[in-house]
Amino acid sequence: MSKLAILAQRVTALLLRPIGAGRVVAVAAFMALGVVAAFGLAPDTTLDTVPRERITRELALPALAPPVADEGYWREERVRRGDTLGSVLARLGIDDPAAQNFLRSDARARPLYQLRPDKAVRVRTDAGGRMLGLRYLTQSADLLAVDRIGDGFFAQTMTPGATVSLELRANEIRSSLFGAADAVGLPDAVTVQLADIFSGDIDFLHDLRRGDRFSVVYEMRRIDGEATGAGRIVAAEFVNKGVSYRAFLWRAPDGTESYHGDDGKSLKKAFLRSPVAFTRVTSGFSLARFHPFLQAWRAHKGVDFAAPSGTPVLAAGAGKVALAGTQGGYGNVVMLQHGGAHSTVYAHLSRFAPGMKAGARVSQGDVVGYVGMTGWATGPHLHYEFRVDNVQKNPLTIALPNAQPVPAGQKAAFQVQVASLADELALGRGLVLAGGE
């Protein structure tokens, strides 16, 4: 007989054996891997009786909130070309004849019948498609609000509260700065700011290269959630020919604003590199060139910027008007004295800006006149000279002095601001680099 059968018989006999008084035996059998084990309690073991007690406690039930009326939910739809109010409401899922009748008949809702493409119409509806509210920003920048009150509606226009948020755009230049900016939805006004901020270091007419990159953090004004206009650039980075330039907006306690690098030094030069925005150089600084008007070789100690007649000409730096009048081959000319040794000349103007007379004060970027072809000129352009101690220097190559840095007492606050904005620029840089891989 096998050992397993013998063990089984012994266990069976044990289970069938009568248990004597005062002895308690427990047997457990485990049939695992052919092993049987028996366990028991020692003789004369007793179990204490466990006392039991019933406890009843009343618990306070939480107060049940009354049913909440359907507050609906907001949806937004953009106006498409050829849309009517009815077609916009249909896309929003409005099934409410009473609301549509009110919007057709109430004079205060009339702006809804002057819908412009890409404008937003926001409505609040319930589960059944009834209109509970409507919001629309009118062409006059007023907010039209229509709300259901009981079984009727009430419409009003109000001056909306505006919020300002920061937006980030970044891209790589493939063909032109404006093309790259348009591709990522950067507003034209911000693109112009970007070029102006870095104009002291980058000649945007000649220095841009395919593969240059930019990252911009700028303010966007919103009314009722809809963008209504771009504000100032607060941080920007431009990589030109592999060299990185960065700028941060600093608003001083007295309200003045200026752009500075990471170290607080002013990014703005004391003089603009070019006094005309987005033009091309038709004649550079030269000691010998063939003069198209005089038909002779002579020195050209200035730079000619071609631009359409009437293009604004800007003061290259802050200073005082030394001359605003007509002078020989210059034609209509403005001469500015900038203090110290520096002066600038703006010639061949078609006309002068209002207030341009000897002794008048100008700030950098103020309009001093408009491009023309007076004097010795064969076509509309600006002849621009930059002088040091009344000696002409090449304005495109001379090292321009910087404006004032962030004051020492404001440097700590400026560095705190830079740290957070630098992270945003790094994010934009990463997006552009990742997109190019």
Side-chain angles (χ1 to χ4, degrees):
M1 183 178 298
S2 69
K3 293 183 179 181
L4 183 60
I6 295 171
L7 287 174
Q9 287 182 353
R10 291 180 179 176
V11 171
T12 303
L14 180 60
L15 291 174
L16 297 176
R17 183 180 303 168
I19 299 176
R23 292 185 75 190
V24 178
V25 177
V27 177
F30 298 90
M31 301 300 296
L33 301 176
V35 178
V36 178
F39 300 89
L41 293 178
D44 302 321
T45 301
T46 61
L47 298 177
D48 295 332
T49 302
V50 179
R52 294 184 297 175
E53 180 182 358
R54 176 176 292 181
I55 299 175
T56 303
R57 180 180 299 172
E58 294 184 0
L59 300 176
L61 295 176
L64 298 178
V68 179
D70 186 1
E71 296 182 354
Y73 56 93
W74 286 98
R75 297 183 59 190
E76 179 180 297
E77 183 68 33
R78 292 280 171 176
V79 177
R80 303 171 186 171
R81 191 170 301 278
D83 262 343
T84 64
L85 178 59
S87 61
V88 174
L89 294 179
R91 289 203 302 274
L92 286 165
I94 298 296
D95 183 14
D96 192 339
Q100 297 193 31
N101 289 336
F102 174 83
L103 296 176
R104 292 191 188 97
S105 60
D106 193 281
R108 288 167 294 187
R110 192 162 296 163
L112 290 170
Y113 289 89
Q114 300 171 350
L115 299 176
R116 297 291 182 89
D118 205 41
K119 295 280 285 183
V121 178
R122 298 176 60 232
V123 298
R124 184 165 59 94
T125 64
D126 62 15
R130 292 193 315 157
M131 190 183 82
L132 304 179
L134 180 147
R135 300 291 184 269
Y136 179 69
L137 193 63
T138 69
Q139 297 302 312
S140 59
D142 291 327
L143 182 64
L144 171 63
V146 180
D147 292 289
R148 181 184 288 272
I149 300 177
D151 294 329
F153 295 89
F154 178 75
Q156 61 179 329
T157 55
M158 60 187 76
T159 302
T163 59
V164 177
S165 60
L166 296 182
E167 300 205 6
L168 170 67
R169 297 288 186 274
N171 204 1
E172 180 176 307
I173 295 175
R174 298 293 184 182
S175 58
S176 69
L177 174 59
F178 276 95
D182 289 343
V184 292
L186 188 68
D188 287 349
V190 179
T191 308
V192 172
Q193 285 186 55
L194 180 66
D196 180 62
I197 289 169
F198 293 111
S199 61
D201 294 299
I202 302 171
D203 183 348
F204 282 86
L205 300 176
H206 308 97
D207 289 347
L208 292 188
R209 297 291 185 270
R210 181 184 177 89
D212 286 354
R213 307 187 306 272
F214 64 84
S215 298
V216 185
V217 180
Y218 63 98
E219 297 171 329
M220 177 59 75
R221 184 172 177 266
R222 295 181 180 277
I223 296 177
D224 195 40
E226 183 173 356
T228 58
R232 301 294 303 275
I233 289 176
V234 297
E237 179 180 62
F238 204 104
V239 180
N240 173 237
K241 301 179 185 177
V243 179
S244 177
Y245 303 90
R246 299 211 298 183
F248 300 90
L249 176 65
W250 174 242
R251 291 188 169 106
D254 62 1
T256 58
E257 299 180 341
S258 52
Y259 288 97
H260 301 264
D262 303 64
D263 56 1
K265 291 182 180 179
S266 177
L267 196 70
K268 183 179 181 180
K269 304 297 183 181
F271 296 93
L272 300 176
R273 187 69 70 180
S274 170
V276 184
F278 296 104
T279 62
R280 60 188 177 87
V281 174
T282 54
S283 184
F285 191 94
S286 174
L287 297 179
R289 71 142 190 179
F290 187 77
H291 196 288
F293 184 87
L294 298 176
Q295 293 292 298
W297 288 90
R298 60 186 300 170
H300 184 250
K301 297 184 177 181
V303 174
D304 289 350
F305 294 94
S309 291
T311 300
V313 176
L314 312 179
K320 183 171 65 175
V321 178
L323 171 69
T326 302
Q327 188 180 91
Y330 284 137
N332 292 335
V333 61
V334 170
M335 297 184 180
L336 300 180
Q337 184 64 44
H338 300 284
H342 299 94
S343 59
T344 52
V345 177
Y346 313 81
H348 305 318
L349 302 175
S350 60
R351 57 191 174 94
F352 303 106
M356 282 298 106
K357 59 182 180 180
R361 292 279 179 181
V362 296
S363 298
Q364 186 182 73
D366 285 352
V367 177
V368 297
Y370 301 88
V371 170
M373 50 183 297
T374 58
W376 296 347
T378 58
H381 71 280
L382 171 70
H383 174 80
Y384 174 61
E385 294 181 10
F386 186 89
R387 299 178 178 181
V388 180
D389 290 327
N390 209 34
V391 176
Q392 293 98 333
K393 304 290 183 180
N394 188 343
L396 299 182
T397 59
I398 191 171
L400 299 175
N402 288 327
Q404 293 299 311
V406 174
Q410 302 169 18
K411 191 72 173 290
F414 172 75
Q415 292 294 350
V416 171
Q417 175 179 299
V418 165
S420 61
L421 291 173
D423 291 340
E424 297 295 325
L425 293 178
L427 175 61
R429 187 188 320 123
L431 292 174
V432 173
L433 294 176
E437 294 179 352

